[in-house]
Amino acid sequence: MKLKHIINGMAILSLGLTACSDQMDHKEFKIDGEDYIQRDFDKVGKITTHIYRDLDYDHGQSYGGAMLASATDESVYSHQGATIESYYNGAWSASNALSTTWGTCFDAIAYCNLYLDRFNNLEFPEHKLEKDYKDQMLKYNNYQWEVRFLRAYFHFLMLRQYGDVPLMTENYNAEEANNQPRAAADDVFAFIDDECVAIKDTIIANYSGAYNSIENESGRVNKLTVLALRARAALYHASPLFTQGKSDSEKKELWHQAALRNKEVIDSCKKVSMNLAKTYSSLFGVDNWQNAEAIKEIIFARRVADDRAMETRNFPIGMSGAGGGNCPTENLVSAYETLNGLSIDDPANDQYDPKNPYANRDARLAATVAVNGEKWPVNLPTDALEIWYGGSNSRSVQYGTPTGYYLKKYVNGDQKISGSGVTTSKHTWVLFRLGQVYLDYAEALLNYCGSGYDVPEGFTMSAADAINLVRKRAGQPNLPTGLSYDEFVKRYENERFVELAFEGHRMYDVHRWMKAPQYFTNIKVMEITKNGDEITYTPVLNPSYITKRTWGGDHQYFWPIPQAEVLKSGALTQNTGW
């Protein structure tokens, strides 16, 4: 992208919300040229705001209402024939690449490089006599570290999706940018790690009170965010998808490094009194950006301008203006244990009642999924959800849930989406949180030492200890002792499934584990019938009324690079198999 086009593209930059704090200042301005921007703190700052706006979130905006979760075993999108089905119906291809990640990240990285080349190391002489000059310079000098983080983060988003990607560290013109070759994934991981090391001890650690005379902006990247990216990238680097062809000793050391880096995040959170929120649901509510408990766990988040899109897309059919949306599967619901810590499929489990299947279940289920007979959302026009076939919220109604469930997580149940007095609310997409870091730590340590219960030298808790902290918050008992490695992996993957449901991890987790055929090809739903006062719940595998899911082969673990990008480049090669 040429400089001229980038500058012109900044003519009006509206605000992006980027973390678990109040909004950054909303201002609009007109650009007369590069020199004009360079003379003013605020206008240079708006370049960084523009970059923050490209941070990822998933409210269904990319797939016509469907979330990426509906391409996995987390949910089924209730609008049959939607674009999201291309991921599993055989229509996915280089010419139908589906994701916008390539273009969004490529442009965001170009802005980062532009900033570092043209708008870094300025002194703003016209402002030197202003009383807030010192604070403004402190804020401005921190931008370079924020931008370098964002550049590393956007490289990570491309890396996890496409594998080898161009490593873009300079302000290229359009021709140069379009002719960058793909760098080896190992080299891109190394770049991300090196950048995080360079940034972590220089970036502002805590924006609260960072400035004396100007408003704090705690919605920006801080030291913990940098550490969290470094840890997540290390986890991906150690995962099977990225270690094919490496020796066992190399794989073990990558898991070791991932465990160490996640430990560093955990230890750093403890030093600033961050811990798990007391209530799981508080992490995803409309006030999570200021909720006293939630902000103790949320490391970094991307907040979207006030709207009601999540509610309009996902409220139950049967409500005026509701779309039905991303309906949780029985695969997910079955993954929630009963309160005694046993699977609902365990013959010894006397807490599970097939006639009353949602009683005595892990509290995270009620925070994530709306079930038959529940009064949700607040403005539901009936006394309770009627998901039984023939009911007002069932699959017998167009776009009604095909799975027997509706989505609650991230959806504001108090929202009014139609009629008089419609409302909007804040929505914050959590990118890094401590509960997720505990699980990442557990995975890395488990694979490093081969046991869920060992505490190797240099560590202070086992994989089981870390998982049990997350389970305790949910009110679930500790994992049983004596599990074999394979048994522990199964319990870990189940724990990750329920704890991180609908947070954007599932697709990438299953891909990096290379387990798509195991998890993504068979979808269970709950068929609910009513006969008089009696309601019957019957789990059904792959019913005819949902699109059959196929897995096209291991080449699909990496996305196809959009064919148009390959054709216009003199250096890009397509991912194998596409």
Side-chain angles (χ1 to χ4, degrees), residues 442-488:
E443 181 179 344
L445 194 67
L446 168 66
N447 285 286
Y448 168 53
C449 63
S451 166
Y453 309 100
D454 290 349
V455 183
E457 184 178 355
F459 297 91
T460 56
M461 62 178 173
S462 67
D465 293 333
I467 295 171
N468 288 337
L469 287 171
V470 175
R471 290 173 62 83
K472 182 178 180 181
R473 189 253 302 280
Q476 291 301 104
N478 288 346
L479 291 175
T481 58
L483 295 174
S484 69
Y485 172 81
D486 288 341
E487 290 170 335
F488 200 99

Side-chain angles (χ1 to χ4, degrees), residues 199-505:
I199 298 165
K200 66 184 181 71
D201 293 324
T202 311
I203 197 168
I204 290 177
N206 183 358
Y207 289 89
S208 179
Y211 320 119
N212 293 316
S213 57
I214 60 176
E215 183 180 359
N216 292 320
E217 291 185 315
S218 57
R220 294 184 176 273
V221 174
N222 63 15
K223 179 176 180 177
L224 281 176
T225 316
V226 177
L227 295 178
L229 173 60
R230 188 183 186 211
R232 181 175 294 174
L235 180 77
Y236 272 71
H237 195 188
S239 298
L241 182 59
F242 290 98
T243 57
Q244 298 174 84
K246 295 187 185 298
S247 68
D248 289 345
S249 61
E250 289 173 319
K251 294 175 183 178
K252 182 175 181 178
E253 182 54 25
L254 285 171
W255 286 120
H256 182 208
Q257 292 302 316
L260 287 172
R261 288 165 196 174
N262 279 280
K263 178 181 183 296
E264 183 179 13
V265 180
I266 293 167
D267 291 345
S268 297
C269 285
K270 288 180 179 178
K271 287 180 181 178
V272 294
S273 300
M274 290 186 68
N275 48 45
L276 297 182
K278 291 181 180 178
T279 307
Y280 178 76
S281 58
S282 70
L283 294 167
F284 315 105
V286 296
D287 69 339
N288 64 349
W289 58 278
Q290 62 181 0
N291 180 285
E293 284 300 318
I295 61 177
K296 289 181 180 179
E297 179 171 344
I298 297 174
I299 295 171
F300 189 62
R302 199 265 199 218
R303 210 164 74 244
V304 183
D306 290 15
D307 66 7
R308 55 180 173 274
M310 274 292 283
E311 292 70 35
T312 300
R313 292 165 178 159
N314 294 290
F315 269 177
I317 285 298
M319 297 182 66
S320 177
N326 300 276
C327 301
T329 62
E330 181 60 31
N331 305 57
L332 176 63
V333 173
S334 293
Y336 293 90
E337 303 164 350
T338 47
L339 296 175
N340 55 15
L342 296 179
S343 164
I344 64 170
D345 297 323
D346 191 327
N349 192 350
D350 60 2
Q351 284 194 349
Y352 180 67
D353 181 2
K355 296 181 179 180
N356 188 16
Y358 313 118
N360 303 315
R361 301 289 289 275
D362 183 329
R364 291 171 290 189
L365 174 58
T368 305
V369 179
V371 303
N372 181 62
E374 180 178 1
K375 175 67 175 180
W376 187 90
V378 169
N379 294 304
L380 187 74
T382 55
D383 291 335
L385 284 170
E386 299 175 356
I387 303 179
W388 37 269
Y389 191 79
S392 60
N393 316 111
S394 73
R395 68 178 179 86
S396 62
V397 182
Q398 186 179 30
Y399 305 138
T401 172
T403 66
Y405 304 105
Y406 287 101
L407 177 63
K408 289 171 74 173
K409 192 170 179 178
Y410 276 127
V411 180
N412 179 9
D414 293 324
Q415 199 89 284
K416 188 172 182 181
I417 64 170
S418 64
S420 61
V422 294
T423 58
T424 61
S425 58
K426 300 185 187 302
H427 295 80
T428 304
W429 184 258
V430 178
L431 294 173
F432 298 99
R433 64 180 177 91
L434 184 55
Q436 158 253 309
V437 176
Y438 277 123
L439 294 180
D440 291 358
Y441 169 89
E443 181 179 344
L445 194 67
L446 168 66
N447 285 286
Y448 168 53
C449 63
S451 166
Y453 309 100
D454 290 349
V455 183
E457 184 178 355
F459 297 91
T460 56
M461 62 178 173
S462 67
D465 293 333
I467 295 171
N468 288 337
L469 287 171
V470 175
R471 290 173 62 83
K472 182 178 180 181
R473 189 253 302 280
Q476 291 301 104
N478 288 346
L479 291 175
T481 58
L483 295 174
S484 69
Y485 172 81
D486 288 341
E487 290 170 335
F488 200 99
V489 167
K490 183 178 179 180
R491 293 296 295 262
Y492 167 77
E493 291 179 359
N494 192 81
E495 193 68 31
R496 194 173 180 91
F497 193 21
V498 301
E499 174 70 18
L500 302 181
F502 293 97
E503 294 183 47
H505 293 280

Side-chain angles (χ1 to χ4, degrees), residues 66-80 82 84-90 325-331 402-403 497 506-507 516-517 519-525 541-552 556:
M67 301 168 72
L68 190 59
S70 288
T72 78
D73 53 349
E74 285 182 315
S75 62
V76 174
Y77 192 52
S78 64
H79 298 235
Q80 191 164 14
I84 197 71
E85 294 183 5
S86 294
Y87 277 109
Y88 53 78
N89 68 5
N326 300 276
C327 301
T329 62
E330 181 60 31
N331 305 57
T403 66
F497 193 21
R506 185 63 174 175
M507 175 69 90
Y519 285 118
F520 286 172
T521 56
N522 291 301
I523 300 299
K524 289 190 294 184
V525 306
L541 182 66
N542 298 324
S544 59
Y545 48 82
I546 66 171
T547 302
K548 179 177 174 58
R549 301 197 176 192
T550 59
W551 177 248
Q556 291 189 341

